[in-house]
Amino acid sequence: MKVGIVGGGQLARMLAIAGYPLGLDFVILEPAEDACSSHLGEHLCANYDDETALAELAEKVDVITYEFENVPVSAIEFLDGKCPVYPPAQALACARDRLNEKTMFRELGIGTADFANIESLDDLKQAVVQIGLPALLKTRTMGYDGKGQQMLREDTDLDAVWKEFNGVPTILESLVLFDREISIIAVKNVSGEMAFYPISENHHEEGILRLSTSQVDDPVQSQAEDYARKVLEKLDYVGVIAIELFQVGDQLLANEMAPRVHNSGHWSIEGSVCGQFENHMRAVVDLPLGSTENLGYSTMINLIGDLPESMEVLSIPGVHLHLYGKSARPGRKVGHITVCEDSAEKTQKILDQVQVRLT
Ligand code: AMP
């Protein structure tokens, strides 16, 4: 069976790596000639909205998926009908727009930060009174890793901030004083079978995910699963989905969702019976899902900006190294490391050694 992937970054690379043992082949649509997944399948080098290339992709494969949410919805709609595409276009349309996703969360009874749609300076001034400060002004679309957002405080000049955002659609969100940030990775296959990974506890710096730890028997697991189940059902979803959540006391508030495999689930490659990449592949070609059970206490550290010395890192027993084939560049995710041991203490001990080698 042949699978088409729109987008050719590290997520496409890890999807293909997980798909080969299942006998799957890949065609990857990606405009960058030297993309890090381009040699993991046939590479169609074209823009995501190039209809000739999209038609060629649909012609060549049995099913299509995508690796990130900045693919235009129109491209997925164009493919739909020519070839099965998962996750469905409506999930992408919802996830690309913070207003749509937060509105859907609320409709499903899923808590969120207070928010307001902002289309003018007047809207912004009114929303600040309603929601209070501090608050976050975020672009509705194309924001990721903390990009396209600004904190507003009592002394912020709203006129100046609004000018900076230059009329792009935004939402204002109350600042949540969370106890921790977590995410739930869930998966549903074409036949409707669902599975949920143990939640990840996530630590960000400068808006970028640095470290995720899979949680064992976490008290909010069932609340997170309940949220994910509602979203999967509402969107007629197929594939892996990630929902990022803030925990405040024993309450979970949804921040955003990603209609794809997610960085906070990378630990599952070695840390669960069947990792998120393999389960996404199983879901879209409609195979039975693999078990999402923890194999131990897993932590994943992102490698950002600099490439580590493989020799150094792998000389520590228990370390799994993933390099994405990308060159070093400030702020760029170039790989990750996972440690999965049979106790949290053992995992931490190895991580301490890793941190020393990385600094
Ligand atoms: P986002 O782009 O929405 O994923 O935001 C990136 C990071 O900013 C999140 O992982 C949080 O650490 C922080 N953040 C985003 N929205 C809020 C909020 N409403 N309250 C507090 N922190 C937030």
Side-chain angles (χ1 to χ4, degrees):
M1 215 173 174
K2 245 187 194 167
V3 179
I5 305 179
V6 182
Q10 67 264 21
L11 299 180
R13 179 182 170 103
M14 290 186 274
L15 283 170
I17 290 170
Y20 280 116
L22 302 175
L24 303 175
D25 286 314
F26 294 90
V27 181
I28 293 163
L29 176 70
E30 162 60 47
E33 247 169 62
D34 59 347
C36 72
S37 72
S38 51
H39 52 287
L40 274 111
E42 181 184 343
H43 181 196
L44 293 182
C45 192
N47 287 328
Y48 308 128
D49 57 359
D50 178 333
E51 292 193 353
T52 310
L54 288 167
E56 189 182 343
L57 178 66
E59 188 68 29
K60 286 187 156 163
V61 301
D62 303 291
V63 59
I64 296 173
T65 188
Y66 45 92
E67 63 137 22
F68 74 148
E69 58 270 41
N70 289 340
V71 173
V73 179
S74 56
I76 301 306
E77 283 169 346
F78 177 83
L79 291 168
D80 207 7
K82 295 184 175 57
C83 181
V85 193
Y86 305 119
Q90 58 169 345
L92 178 64
C94 184
R96 273 174 63 96
D97 186 325
R98 292 184 192 276
L99 180 66
N100 290 352
E101 67 185 352
K102 287 214 161 58
T103 305
M104 181 194 68
F105 289 144
R106 284 283 177 96
E107 282 169 7
L108 293 173
I110 296 171
T112 67
D114 288 336
F115 65 93
N117 183 26
I118 309 294
E119 289 177 8
S120 65
L121 181 58
D122 270 357
D123 286 351
L124 178 61
K125 288 183 173 167
Q126 250 182 45
V128 160
V129 174
Q130 235 174 39
I131 287 173
L133 293 173
L136 284 158
L137 188 64
K138 298 181 177 179
T139 57
R140 279 174 53 179
T141 61
M142 305 295 275
Y144 64 95
D145 285 349
K147 293 190 177 88
Q149 54 180 276
Q150 179 157 349
M151 178 87 82
L152 308 185
R153 300 181 188 280
E154 293 296 342
D155 58 355
T156 303
D157 178 346
L158 296 183
D159 296 57
V161 168
W162 184 244
K163 245 190 204 150
E164 258 172 52
F165 275 73
N166 205 17
V168 297
T170 47
I171 67 168
L172 187 72
E173 275 181 32
S174 61
L175 183 74
V176 177
L177 300 177
F178 51 78
D179 298 311
R180 55 176 188 157
E181 285 191 85
I182 63 167
S183 55
I184 176 113
I185 313 280
V187 57
K188 181 163 164 267
N189 70 9
V190 176
S191 296
E193 187 189 352
M194 290 188 216
F196 305 88
Y197 284 90
I199 59 168
S200 311
E201 181 176 310
N202 304 323
H203 297 271
H204 297 80
E205 277 168 38
E206 293 156 8
I208 304 181
L209 182 70
R210 303 284 155 163
L211 184 147
S212 284
T213 301
S214 95
Q215 302 298 288
V216 177
D217 300 327
D218 197 280
V220 296
Q221 178 73 31
S222 65
Q223 193 180 150
E225 286 187 16
D226 180 48
Y227 285 6
R229 187 176 296 104
K230 284 180 174 160
V231 172
L232 289 174
E233 282 169 356
K234 168 78 182 170
L235 293 171
D236 265 332
Y237 201 86
V238 172
V240 163
I241 194 170
I243 305 178
E244 294 185 65
L245 303 149
F246 300 131
Q247 183 174 351
V248 186
D250 57 6
Q251 190 60 33
L252 297 180
L253 302 178
N255 179 36
E256 61 180 357
M257 65 181 192
R260 55 170 168 81
V261 283
H262 193 257
N263 196 170
S264 66
H266 288 3
W267 60 264
S268 65
I269 299 174
E270 290 90 9
S272 69
V273 176
C274 183
Q276 63 163 348
F277 296 97
E278 181 176 339
N279 256 337
H280 184 74
M281 283 297 121
R282 291 189 189 207
V284 301
V285 302
D286 204 19
L287 288 169
L289 297 178
S291 165
T292 50
E293 214 174 295
N294 269 333
L295 288 173
Y297 292 75
S298 299
T299 294
M300 182 237 40
I301 302 175
N302 266 339
L303 300 170
I304 297 170
D306 292 322
L307 283 158
E309 279 298 332
S310 301
M311 186 71 91
E312 281 269 293
V313 173
L314 291 175
S315 65
I316 307 167
V319 169
H320 301 279
L321 175 64
H322 295 256
L323 297 179
Y324 304 150
K326 291 160 88 173
S327 53
R329 191 197 291 163
R332 194 181 210 193
K333 290 175 183 169
V334 293
H336 73 266
I337 282 170
T338 302
V339 176
C340 175
E341 294 292 322
D342 59 14
S343 75
E345 293 70 33
K346 277 191 202 166
T347 296
Q348 190 54 50
K349 227 175 178 176
I350 296 174
L351 286 174
D352 290 343
Q353 295 176 56
V354 170
Q355 299 285 17
V356 170
R357 305 283 167 99
L358 291 180
T359 46

